[in-house]
Amino acid sequence: MTKDVTGRENQIRCPKCHKQVSRTAYTPLHHLKLPLWTFSYLLLESIQLFPQLLPASLIQRKLSVSSSTSIRLKRRLQLFLSEFIPVVKHIITEDIKKEY
């Protein structure tokens, strides 16, 4: 799966058999009906507000979406970030072992 599908930002295809697959398949962004920029915007917002939480009401206000959509986006963001916790922990442990 190496070729982009023109007109579809989220699709890639096999150059041999032409089968199309979503880049976000089997991730927390699977079946996301909104553009990918909305999720990246939320990710940057949550990083900037780090000690604080990102409330669903703020998501609803900033993106002009319904309350159920904002709650679902917040949950997807939480799932997305929870997958990185073991990876980040492993990287930090390796850095500490290298330094000391």
Side-chain angles (χ1 to χ4, degrees), residues 32-85:
L32 181 69
K33 304 294 187 215
L34 296 171
L36 290 177
W37 69 265
T38 58
F39 189 79
S40 63
Y41 174 76
L42 290 178
L43 184 62
L44 290 174
E45 282 286 321
S46 68
I47 291 170
Q48 290 173 353
L49 295 173
F50 169 62
Q52 301 171 352
L53 298 175
L54 184 65
S57 60
L58 181 68
I59 296 170
Q60 181 180 4
R61 221 179 13 244
K62 292 228 178 196
L63 296 178
S64 299
V65 294
S66 68
S67 62
S68 62
T69 302
S70 64
I71 291 169
R72 287 187 182 119
L73 280 171
K74 182 179 178 181
R75 183 65 186 139
R76 284 179 188 237
L77 183 66
Q78 289 171 342
L79 286 171
F80 185 78
L81 293 174
S82 71
E83 287 183 2
F84 285 113
I85 291 173

Side-chain angles (χ1 to χ4, degrees), residues 4-5 9 11 13 17 24 41 46 51 60 68 79 89-90:
D4 290 331
V5 177
E9 67 171 327
Q11 296 285 324
R13 70 178 172 89
C17 67
T24 59
Y41 174 76
S46 68
Q60 181 180 4
S68 62
L79 286 171
K89 191 175 186 180
H90 179 70

